[in-house]
Amino acid sequence: MSTNQIKTNWAQFIPLVTVFFFWGFVAASNDILIPVFKKAFDLTQVQSQLVSLAFYIAYTVGSLLYLLISYLTKGDLINRLGYKNSLALGLAISALGTLLFYPAANTGSFTLMLSGLFIVALGFSLQQTVANPLAIALGPITTGSQRLTLAGGINNLGTTIGPLIVSFAIFGSATSGNTDMSIESVKTPYLILGAAFLLVAILLKFSSLPDKPQAIVESEDEKAATRSSALKYPQLILGMIAIFVYVGVEVSTASNLPAYMEKNLGFLTKDIAPYISLYWASLMIGRWTGAVEAFTDQMNLQKILRFIAPYLAFGVFLFVNAIAKHDLTPFYIYAVIILVLILADIASKGNPARMLLIFSSLGIVALIVGMVTDGMVSVYAFTSVGLFCSTLWPCIFTLAVSGLGKHTSQGSSFLIMMIMGGGFVSLLQGYIADISTIQTSYIVGVLCFAYLAFYAWKVSGILKSQGISFDKKVSGGH
């Protein structure tokens, strides 16, 4: 590894994470659109989940297009365009999708709304294929998952703010008493978002981000990267399924929560936004906690930051909801639940496989508690799933692409393809909710976490057999 890769390249990393914010903003905002569209277009619960399906299936379509173009041109598309240019292109595609919200809102067309979300996510597919391995490559591999966790924390700043802004655009302030839902009011935040996409695309084009990260260039000559395709690596194949079920449980837990709170607890649609915001803020809380090792290798400072970072993120959630004039009283108790996250993070010792196993097990516990309890206890249990999903993406992604070398971008594309799980698992849970109860439907998430626990156990042996270990950092750091 070259000397410039010993420490994280912050000058390049910071502008990169802007796109992570956009992904979170739009993904979490979908959870506000679902109940709005359900009432405006008179949809069933399973039909309302078409919002999630249209958004997340676009990741698969985008990945397939990338692989098809690369095959037809007999060369990797991203390697040809360069990582920086590919990011800018992805942002431009997403900007085009936001333009559809204007005619969709004016005509009240559910189909056009879904089409706009599909094209936005199509651009996100290319962005994610580039940005995730790039975030890992801008520094040493031993802190790659922590760096991706930090980028995910920025992503969840977007997920925390997104539902509040979209809810404000539709309903006005929390104190306004407005319960009327105007489809036309949806277009404004998305048109503004489209302009932001284009602005960031221009800024990234002139940034210092590399066209191809040096860490990936160096790994192309490693002996471990001698296989003919990324699909020859078992850690990737099993990791693809893991990404599918992980995104599935993360998205379906949140997207079915509004219907549960309305039907079972009597909440008004306009009052659900802060709880959706808390769910996505929980991912931010967990990711800020899991990212402390990317900042410093001083053990005493890491121990302090492990307690400061989660409550700082929780403070961001409280602050933005205070600005939105929401009652904060119901959320203070959540500070106690965050202690469970901190203890789990300490127990993981920075090892992505161990973290995946511990957090998946806690996710199972949280969902079961939500299924067997009532009232606000069940709401806090379901929202705490966000805490335990928080670091799973960087753990799975790092484990799945480890050792792929020159096949890293191809492997990344296969992983991004599996984001479609967010749509299909949500659809499955919506179907089970329609034929039974919404609380019962969360058994789908339990099964998803069970597979993730299995993957954590299985991939450890696979990587060790290939001479890849994450324990060196742990033994020297804890």
Side-chain angles (χ1 to χ4, degrees), residues 292-309:
V292 298
E293 290 184 33
F295 285 104
T296 178
D297 56 3
Q298 297 181 22
M299 298 305 103
N300 290 334
L301 183 56
Q302 285 183 11
K303 291 176 181 178
I304 295 171
L305 289 176
R306 275 194 169 86
F307 284 88
I308 293 177

Side-chain angles (χ1 to χ4, degrees), residues 254-305:
S255 63
N256 285 280
L257 186 57
Y260 169 69
M261 294 180 69
E262 286 178 332
K263 184 176 180 181
N264 292 52
L265 305 181
F267 276 73
L268 297 175
T269 303
K270 76 181 188 69
D271 295 327
I272 291 173
Y275 294 92
I276 296 300
S277 175
L278 177 62
Y279 177 84
W280 294 106
S282 296
L283 279 96
M284 178 175 66
I285 292 166
R287 287 169 178 173
W288 285 25
T289 307
V292 298
E293 290 184 33
F295 285 104
T296 178
D297 56 3
Q298 297 181 22
M299 298 305 103
N300 290 334
L301 183 56
Q302 285 183 11
K303 291 176 181 178
I304 295 171
L305 289 176

Side-chain angles (χ1 to χ4, degrees), residues 329-404:
T329 306
F331 305 117
Y332 295 138
I333 189 65
Y334 206 68
V336 178
I337 303 175
I338 293 173
L339 282 174
V340 178
L341 166 79
I342 296 172
L343 294 175
D345 181 70
I346 293 172
S348 71
K349 298 181 179 180
N351 185 300
R354 187 182 295 114
M355 181 175 286
L356 181 58
L357 178 60
I358 293 172
F359 278 51
S360 296
S361 300
L362 288 172
I364 292 174
V365 172
L367 283 177
I368 291 176
V369 170
M371 291 170 65
V372 300
T373 58
D374 297 312
M376 293 307 298
V377 172
S378 63
V379 173
Y380 293 135
F382 288 138
T383 52
S384 72
V385 171
L387 292 174
F388 309 124
C389 279
S390 59
T391 61
L392 300 194
W393 172 277
C395 288
I396 297 167
F397 210 98
T398 301
L399 294 167
V401 301
S402 291
L404 266 62

Side-chain angles (χ1 to χ4, degrees), residues 106-107 113 118 219 259 283 341 343 389 426 469:
N106 288 342
T107 60
M113 288 283 187
F118 178 87
S219 67
L283 279 96
L341 166 79
L343 294 175
C389 279
S426 294
S469 175

